[in-house]
Amino acid sequence: MDAKTNRFISLDERITAHNYSPLPIVISRAKGIFAYDVYGRRYFDMLSAYSALNQGHLHPKIVAAAKRQLGKVSLTSRAFHNEQMGPFLEKLCGLAGMEMALPMNSGAEGVETAIKAMRLWGYKAKGIPEDMAEIIVVADNFHGRTTTIVGFSSDPDSRIGFGPATPGFKTIPYDDASALERAVNKNTCGFLVEPIQGEAGVRIPSPIYLKEVRRICTEQNVLFCADEIQTGLGRTGAMFCVDNSGVRPDMFVLGKALSGGLYPISAVLAGREVLGLFTPGTHGSTFGGNPLASAIGSASLDVIVKEKLAKNALEMGTLFLERLSSLDHPLIREVRGRGLLIGLEFRKPIAKDFCRLLLKGGLLAKDTHQYTVRFAPPLIIKKAQIEAAFKIVYNAMNSIKERE
Ligand SMILES: *Cc1c(COP(=O)(O)O)cnc(C)c1O
């Protein structure tokens, strides 16, 4: 490895907790769909920070909005009003067809907020006896890393060693509507689900699943909460992934691309009958809804809408999926995706090694659970760039062939 790269990697390994195992590249700068290492070598960024960079690295309009706001005020706290938060959340609610929003920072905080909102609604609106509320979740979920959230993860690496788990969660299989029907009882306040499971390896449920979920939740008076932190904001070829199924959840949790990658911004969106139940002092966040975040969030949404990123994700995703599907290799089990959230699944646990090959070829991608490589480039990617990126994947695949 190059001396400079090595120096940063050894420092990280010495000084940082080893809760990640990064690929051996040190990124020094990035623009649009490309990242550059400390030697100035260029890489296609096909992870996009787990879909936080849908608008591309350092989108000029979002950077300009951030700079403008940095000349005015960055943080006020919610002890006072600021002129950025309301307009940002009004824009967001307009896009999502929701009445109210509660702004937070990280995705996990957004999910925690949604959990609190569902429970509060369960007690105050549904009449569930105190401390009896249940939330149904699915196997192989990924909703973040806080103690409550990892307590209902089915991934042993996420959960084991961090107990005791918070009570009040029931796990059912994913993509199984009748399991939901059976699991609901009079104390169920909500159902929390990812419309496509990203971290689990881009798992796409059957076309009727979310429709069935909607029906069951309505019939049983249970809140349907869609975690669209990864799938939302254009990623799957629609503004929200649930749009692909023609359903509306009762709640959205959004994060990641809500800031275009400049800043951690998350939000819970829901109707007044849910978020209207919070009263002063029942929830909060020092940085949530701050003017800098709101200015960035507002510009990030404008870019998604004005540049028609959902439409481009659909077109470029279809093209990339078509190219990947043409790969004829005995080690490939399946290629699947929606928009620009695409998984390439192998028959053997070689996904991380494959990502190392892609890195050498000039493309950044990440494996999920050893078997699947996720491709999720910024949604601003163009046709010729898809073809060039595919060429790198194609060559990497061929080099595996040669080694066997
Ligand atoms: C990334 C992610 C989260 C957690 O977001 P953080 O900002 O890392 O806390 C939650 N849910 C889904 C579906 C995610 O992809």
Side-chain angles (χ1 to χ4, degrees):
M1 213 180 296
D2 327 301
K4 211 165 168 188
T5 303
N6 215 11
R7 194 149 42 79
F8 284 108
I9 291 177
S10 332
L11 173 60
D12 285 358
E13 284 187 347
R14 182 161 51 80
I15 209 77
T16 326
H18 290 187
N19 56 327
Y20 280 91
S21 145
L23 287 168
I25 171 182
V26 179
I27 295 171
S28 167
R29 63 192 174 86
K31 191 85 190 89
I33 67 158
F34 296 112
Y36 300 83
D37 70 10
V38 287
Y39 288 96
R41 285 181 297 227
R42 194 186 80 171
Y43 300 82
F44 285 86
D45 183 352
M46 289 226 150
L47 179 63
S48 309
Y50 306 89
S51 297
L53 292 159
N54 286 3
Q55 301 87 337
H57 287 275
L58 297 176
H59 192 290
K61 293 221 167 92
I62 309 174
V63 170
K67 284 186 174 163
R68 257 196 318 277
Q69 193 56 37
L70 281 170
K72 294 183 81 182
V73 58
S74 64
L75 181 63
T76 55
S77 89
R78 295 286 305 278
F80 314 106
H81 293 272
N82 72 71
E83 59 184 0
Q84 293 294 332
M85 186 183 75
F88 162 50
L89 295 178
E90 185 176 43
K91 195 179 284 177
L92 181 58
C93 284
L95 284 175
M98 293 282 177
E99 287 174 331
M100 293 181 90
L102 204 167
M104 297 294 285
N105 311 286
S106 69
E109 277 183 332
V111 173
E112 288 276 351
T113 301
I115 290 167
K116 287 175 75 174
M118 287 188 272
R119 285 180 170 180
L120 192 62
W121 174 87
Y123 299 125
K124 292 203 170 177
K126 187 166 173 172
I128 296 171
E130 197 180 329
D131 288 347
M132 296 292 282
E134 277 181 16
I135 292 172
I136 299 172
V137 298
V138 301
D140 301 319
N141 66 69
F142 183 83
H143 297 292
R145 299 295 195 164
T146 60
T147 42
T148 288
I149 292 171
V150 300
F152 60 80
S153 170
S154 47
D155 171 24
D157 286 342
S158 299
R159 193 188 67 247
I160 292 171
F162 306 111
T166 306
F169 296 91
K170 194 187 271 182
T171 305
I172 62 170
Y174 188 53
D175 196 12
D176 186 342
S178 56
L180 176 61
E181 201 135 38
R182 286 193 302 276
V184 171
N185 65 43
K186 61 184 192 324
N187 291 336
T188 308
C189 59
F191 177 54
L192 173 65
V193 69
E194 298 156 84
I196 289 176
Q197 290 188 320
E199 296 311 301
V202 190
R203 288 174 58 190
I204 304 171
S206 74
I208 57 154
Y209 178 57
L210 294 174
K211 280 203 172 74
E212 284 290 284
V213 166
R214 177 67 278 177
R215 179 186 60 76
I216 295 163
C217 287
T218 303
E219 283 174 12
Q220 305 286 336
N221 195 25
V222 165
L223 295 174
F224 170 11
C225 179
D227 179 347
E228 292 240 23
I229 291 170
Q230 185 161 159
T231 54
L233 303 173
R235 173 56 57 188
T236 66
M239 184 56 77
F240 301 100
C241 187
V242 291
D243 296 341
N244 293 317
S245 308
V247 303
R248 275 299 73 191
D250 299 300
M251 305 174 71
F252 276 122
V253 191
L254 300 174
K256 294 201 165 112
L258 198 47
S259 70
L262 264 73
Y263 200 90
I265 306 177
S266 63
V268 175
L269 309 182
R272 199 163 297 281
E273 74 283 3
V274 179
L275 289 181
L277 296 172
F278 283 103
T279 52
T282 51
H283 194 52
S285 163
T286 303
F287 280 82
N290 75 71
L292 179 58
S294 300
I296 290 170
S298 197
S300 301
L301 293 176
D302 288 345
V303 168
I304 293 169
V305 172
K306 291 201 180 116
E307 299 189 12
K308 300 187 170 62
L309 294 189
K311 182 166 170 276
N312 194 57
L314 182 64
E315 290 167 6
M316 295 304 110
T318 304
L319 174 66
F320 199 41
L321 195 60
E322 217 174 274
R323 291 288 180 273
L324 291 172
S325 304
S326 75
L327 289 170
D328 181 23
H329 197 287
L331 278 172
I332 296 178
R333 184 191 299 277
E334 191 185 34
V335 180
R336 56 180 176 266
R338 276 277 182 292
L340 282 169
L341 184 57
I342 296 173
L344 169 65
E345 186 177 340
F346 293 105
R347 293 185 192 281
K348 293 186 179 159
I350 57 164
K352 182 138 194 188
D353 293 335
F354 190 68
C355 288
R356 287 178 203 280
L357 285 176
L358 294 176
L359 178 69
K360 286 208 184 83
L363 189 153
L364 307 180
K366 165 94 171 62
D367 65 299
T368 72
H369 302 284
Q370 304 295 332
Y371 282 90
T372 304
V373 177
R374 170 179 29 197
F375 294 105
L379 310 184
I380 56 169
I381 195 165
K382 296 189 172 76
K383 196 163 174 234
Q385 296 168 331
I386 288 280
E387 301 288 8
F390 173 69
K391 193 86 198 148
I392 297 172
V393 179
Y394 179 87
N395 289 337
M397 247 5 269
N398 274 346
S399 73
I400 304 186
K401 215 172 252 171
E402 281 158 19
R403 284 191 301 169
E404 277 175 345

